[in-house]
Every structure is written in C-alpha cells, then in structure tokens.
C-alpha cells in the first residue's frame, strides 16, 4: 500500500515545478537514458557509460546527469524532481537508506520480475536487502561499503575486540607517551547514525522491527551502546574536534600520526599510502569493535543501488542500461579505478580485484576483512520515514559527550515513534 510519503511532499513538489525537465526523449532517433548520479573519482562512471553504450549498438544511449558530492544534497535534488514526476530521470543512484522512502512514495519502479535473478544472483545478500522494500526489489545493487577498525601495528598487536578493550589499550599507550587518539565520526550528520546503528547491533539491539513499523530499541543493548559513545567521547582518546569530525577529518588526523585507532572506510588506505607512507607502512585492520565480549560486532552497510524512475520515458531500456552499468566488469573497474567496493561476492576473491596494485601498492589488502564485514552487516532503519528517523537520532545523540544513557533511551524511543507517524522534526 502506498502511504502518503512525507508531510512535506506537497511543498517539495511546488518547489520542484520550475526545475523539472521535459523528459529524456531521443537524440538523432536514439533513445537517451539519463542517469542521475555523482560521477566518482577518475570519472569511472564515464568509462562504464562508454562501454554500455557500445554494447547497446545504437538501441539507446546513456547520459550522465551529475549530482552533488554530498549524499544529503543528492537526495534533496532527487526528491524535488521525483515528487514533481520528472520524466527526465530514467536512472538514479540511490544511497542505501533511500529505497523504502522512494518506493513507498511511488517514485521508483519495482524491478521487473523476469530480471530479478540477473540483478541479485551472486550479489551480497545484505546489498540485495538494501534494494528491497516490502518484499519487492526496487533497484540493482551497484557498490557497497562498510567501516573497519584501522590500527597501527607498531602500537597494537591486534585489533581490540571491544570498545572497552580499545579504550584500555589507549590508556596504556597514553601512559607510555605513545599516540593514543581514536578517531570516529561525531559530527551532527548521517555518520552519527551509522555509528549508533553499528554500536547498537554490536550490543545485540535494533532500532526498528523487521517490518520497519515499530520502534524496538531494546533497553539494555541501547543503554550499553549509548554508554560506549559517552565513555569514548569523554575520554582523553577522543579528538578535541570529535563533535565536528566526519570521515575525512579522521583520515587527516590519522595521517598526522597522533592516532592509534580509527573507525573508517577503505578510502583511508590509498590516501595514507600517498600522503603519509610512514603511517601506511604500519596500518593494519580488523572488524568494528563489539560492545559485549560475547556478541559479535556488526556494522551498518553503505553503498548505492541504481533505481528506475517511475516517470521516465524509457523504463525497459533503463533496466537494461542499469544491468549493464552494474555488471561485474564495471564493478571491477569501479573498484580498481575509484575504490568503489563490489556487490558481487566473488569479486572479493578475484585476483583482478583482490590483488590489484597501483604503483606497487596493493589496492585492497583488506578485501577479505571487508567481505566478512559486509556479509554480516546490518541495515539502517528500513522505513519510508528514514529521513525523519535519522534526524531524530542525530538531534538526541549530538554531542555524544553529553549523552545521558538512561534518559536518552526513552527520548530516542519517543522521537523515533513520532517520526514513524510522520510527525517529523522539520
């Protein structure tokens, strides 16, 4: 059943009226399939488009319509156009939490039943899950991502298994006069939701039930996750700028040499090899630390799927084009040229990816650890009201040093329950 997507939809539609294009149409008799996406480093999507256009042999031509680099700005631009039934959007890259919102609003088409197997076979189950809403596939997984714990092998023998153990090791390093900072993302933004989701899952809890309609937030796991956030944030091992730290601030701090541990994505590896080779020479990695010693850690999955616009001019060609763009050859090139991790599980064991090098430096020495992290990853709340749920979490948990674990459990439950009723914060 299609519910009213968001209370702000009417306003969004009005704002979008002036911006709507008139549809992909044709050029020189060839249908044009427009793909709204942020082009990645090295313009790797341009190479995929070129190959897919050649494979189409004149039946269609894909054109990239660039989106902003920031995911929030991408969503805002897409929502404005989709709410106004913009026929220009044949394809769009969707951040993994957007599927439920876009599908529930009727902005994207269900994936054709006779093409589901081709879009899911051999792909990471968690990635397929991110493209699924109400038991229906709404996109083809394109790339995936997850955070690892990076540590300096000259300061720690192995990755600490829990946050408590990591803080204890940092205490010892500080006492010995060694680098002891731990980098996380504490800024008031989506990265804070990713951190909380991973911590809660690693404590054995969830934010919503399987249907995405009811708040769970089991009291004990939620309180433990919040205790970890506060303990770390108040410790001498949190960077002074934690409350404004995003992924790139962590990378820069790590490369500065004052840190022993860092929770971050794989882009930190090539960056350190290029900009801080002495630090890179000591870099090792392990799974995201757990909260409880007897509960395996889990991380929130990231990445993008390709969705089909509900009002595009070329839905059948769009499915064909998306299938090509998300094909294994393009996934492998996206990985080696732009660091975008594959969704096809076998590529993590393929020497062309797992053993790829650049300038003599291995690109993905952490491929096995990433594959393991993605295989057990969890989704952020799967609900059409995700944006409001995310805002509720961010507003209550920031700044993390001021979290009151006991009180915050109930505040989160109340705010997220309101968000699920469409009583958002905006």
């Amino acid at each position: 059943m299609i519910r009213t997507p968001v209370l702000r939809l009417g306003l969004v539609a009005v704002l979008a009226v002036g911006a709507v294009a008139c549809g992909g149409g044709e050029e020189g008799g060839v249908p044009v399939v427009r793909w709204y996406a942020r082009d990645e480093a090295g313009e790797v999507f341009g190479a995929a488009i070129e190959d897919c256009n050649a494979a189409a042999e004149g039946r269609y031509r894909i054109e990239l319509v660039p989106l902003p680099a920031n995911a929030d700005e991408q969503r805002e631009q897409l929502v404005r156009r989709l709410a106004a039934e913009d026929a220009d959007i044949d394809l769009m890259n969707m951040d993994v939490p957007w599927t439920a919102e876009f599908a529930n609003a009727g902005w994207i088409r269900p994936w054709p039943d006779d093409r589901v197997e081709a879009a899911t076979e051999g792909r990471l189950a968690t990635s397929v899950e991110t493209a699924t809403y109400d038991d229906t596939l709404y996109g083809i997984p394109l790339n995936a991502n997850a955070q690892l714990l990076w540590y300096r092998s000259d300061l720690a023998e192995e990755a600490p298994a829990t946050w408590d153990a990591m803080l204890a090791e940092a205490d010892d390093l500080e006492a010995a006069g060694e680098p002891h900072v731990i980098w996380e993302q504490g800024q008031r933004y989506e990265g804070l939701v990713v951190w909380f989701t991973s911590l809660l899952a690693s404590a054995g809890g969830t934010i919503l039930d399987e249907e995405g309609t009811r708040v769970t937030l089991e009291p004990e796991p939620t309180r433990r996750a919040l205790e970890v956030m506060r303990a770390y944030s108040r410790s001498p091992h949190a960077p002074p700028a934690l409350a404004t730290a995003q992924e790139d601030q962590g990378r820069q701090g790590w490369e500065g040499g004052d840190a022993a541990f860092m929770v971050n994505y794989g882009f930190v590896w090539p960056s350190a090899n290029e900009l801080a080779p002495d630090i890179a020479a000591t870099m090792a990695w392990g799974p995201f630390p757990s909260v409880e010693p007897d509960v395996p850690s889990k991380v929130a999955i990231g990445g993008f799927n390709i969705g089909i616009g509900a009002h595009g001019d070329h839905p059948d060609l769009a499915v064909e084009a998306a299938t090509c763009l998300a094909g294994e050859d393009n996934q492998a090139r996206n990985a080696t040229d732009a660091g975008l991790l594959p969704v096809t599980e076998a590529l993590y064991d393929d020497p062309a990816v797992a053993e790829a090098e650049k300038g003599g430096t291995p690109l993905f020495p952490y491929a096995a650890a990433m594959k393991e992290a993605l295989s057990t990853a969890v989704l952020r709340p799967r609900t059409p009201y995700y944006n409001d749920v995310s805002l509720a979490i961010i507003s209550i948990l920031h700044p993390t040093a001021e979290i009151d674990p006991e009180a915050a459990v109930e505040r989160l439950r109340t705010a997220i329950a309101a968000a699920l009723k469409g009583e958002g914060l905006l």
Side-chain angles (χ1 to χ4, degrees), residues 193-204:
V193 182
V194 171
W195 182 19
F196 174 64
T197 301
S198 298
L199 278 174
L200 181 59
S202 300

Side-chain angles (χ1 to χ4, degrees), residues 87-175:
D88 197 57
I89 301 179
D90 295 302
L91 300 174
M92 74 202 83
N93 273 14
M94 304 187 300
D95 200 355
V96 290
W98 300 347
T99 304
E101 177 188 11
F102 286 17
N104 186 71
W107 294 337
I108 52 178
R109 295 174 184 266
W111 205 255
D113 289 342
D114 61 345
R115 305 296 293 269
V116 167
E117 184 175 352
T120 59
E121 189 174 24
R123 298 185 189 232
L124 292 160
T126 45
S127 289
V128 172
E129 208 175 342
T130 67
T132 303
Y133 174 65
D134 201 16
D135 296 325
T136 301
L137 187 70
Y138 278 93
I140 185 169
L142 176 63
N143 56 59
N145 214 343
Q147 293 189 322
L148 298 175
L149 175 64
W150 303 84
Y151 67 99
R152 290 217 353 217
S153 60
D154 58 331
L155 300 174
E157 292 184 359
E158 59 185 0
T162 66
W163 279 82
D164 288 345
M166 182 161 63
L167 288 171
E169 285 196 37
D171 286 342
D172 293 341
L173 289 169
E174 182 184 26

Side-chain angles (χ1 to χ4, degrees), residues 95-97 130 190-191 193-194 197 207-208 265 300-303 378-383 386 390:
D95 200 355
V96 290
T130 67
E190 183 64 18
V193 182
V194 171
T197 301
I207 297 173
L208 301 182
Y265 297 98
I301 189 172
V378 296
L379 276 63
R380 279 166 274 174
R382 189 159 49 177
T383 165
Y386 177 77
S390 173

